[in-house]
Amino acid sequence: VLDKLIILNVAIFIVVTVLQVVQKLFGFDLFNFNPYVAVSSNIEFFIFHLWTLFTYMFIHYEIFHILFNMLMLFWFGKMFLTYFTPKNFVALYILGGIAGGLLYIISFNTIPYFIQQETSYLVGASASVTAIIFAAAFYNKNLEVRLLFFGSVKIIYIAIAIFLIDFISLKGDNNIGGHVAHIGGALIGYLY
C-alpha cells in the first residue's frame, strides 16, 4: 500500500506537470488547476468545492515538494507499517490530510493575521505525511534511526523537531498555510 500511494502521488504529479508545461509552451490558457484540486482558504468558495479536501493531498506542483514528501512518506511509512496494518496506514494518510486541510481553512478564517491575507490555496501530501510521522514516533518513542551527521537519533526527537520547525515557520511569509496544515496532520498523528 505504501508503494501504491507513492506511485499514485508521482503519477498525478507527472500528469499535472505535463499539462502545465503544455499550457505554458503553447500558450494555452485551458484552466487554473487550483480551484478544482486545491483547498481554498476562502470558506465560501471551499463549501462549493468540498472534494478538494481530499484531492489536495495528492497534488504537488514542484519537484522538491513531491520528492521530500515521498521520501518522508517512504521512510516513516515503513516504520508505521511495522506496527499497524495497511488499512490503518491509508486511513491515517487520509485523516491527516483532512485534519491539515480543515485546520488550514479554520486558521485562515479565524486568526486575525490570516484573515487579512489574500485567498490562497493548499496542495501537497505534507499534512498526511506528518500524521504518519507523528503516529510512528509517538507509538514507539524509543525507536532510533541513523541520520547523516547526527548519528542515532530517537524518532520522537525528529517528530518534535519537525513540529517546532513548522511552528517557528509561522512567523515567515512563505507557505505559512502549509505549515498550519502540517500542524493539523501532526495533531491527528499524535492522537492516532
Side-chain angles (χ1 to χ4, degrees), residues 8-170:
L8 177 63
N9 272 281
V10 171
I12 292 170
F13 171 75
I14 291 169
V15 169
V16 169
T17 301
V18 167
L19 288 172
Q20 288 176 323
V21 168
V22 169
Q23 279 189 211
K24 183 171 186 166
L25 292 179
F26 294 99
F28 296 143
D29 192 15
L30 298 175
F31 60 91
N32 178 5
F33 293 100
N34 279 337
Y36 304 100
V37 296
V39 172
S40 174
S41 62
N42 181 320
I43 197 160
E44 290 98 16
F45 186 84
F46 169 73
I47 288 171
F48 293 102
H49 296 83
L50 291 175
W51 65 86
T52 61
L53 194 57
F54 179 77
T55 57
Y56 93 94
M57 65 184 88
F58 297 97
I59 302 295
H60 298 83
Y61 292 138
E62 297 174 8
I63 188 75
F64 288 111
H65 190 202
I66 191 165
L67 176 65
F68 289 122
N69 274 343
M70 295 305 103
L71 284 174
M72 297 291 271
L73 183 62
F74 178 76
W75 292 326
F76 288 95
K78 290 272 189 197
M79 291 177 216
F80 181 89
L81 287 169
T82 61
Y83 307 115
F84 300 99
T85 68
K87 285 183 181 180
N88 296 129
F89 179 78
V90 172
L92 184 58
Y93 181 93
I94 293 169
L95 286 173
I98 290 171
L102 289 175
L103 186 60
Y104 170 80
I105 294 165
I106 291 166
S107 297
F108 272 76
N109 288 280
T110 60
I111 297 174
Y113 175 78
F114 293 127
I115 290 172
Q116 61 186 330
Q117 303 297 315
E118 291 182 21
T119 297
S120 62
Y121 292 94
L122 177 67
V123 294
S126 303
S128 300
V129 173
T130 306
I132 300 292
I133 292 169
F134 270 72
F138 280 90
Y139 186 77
N140 184 0
K141 297 178 183 95
N142 293 318
L143 179 66
E144 291 186 354
V145 293
R146 294 202 42 85
L147 296 178
L148 189 63
F149 305 119
F150 294 102
S152 293
V153 178
K154 288 186 178 181
I155 189 174
I156 190 73
Y157 298 137
I158 295 171
I160 291 169
I162 289 170
F163 183 86
L164 290 174
I165 289 168
D166 281 320
F167 184 76
I168 291 167
S169 297
L170 292 176

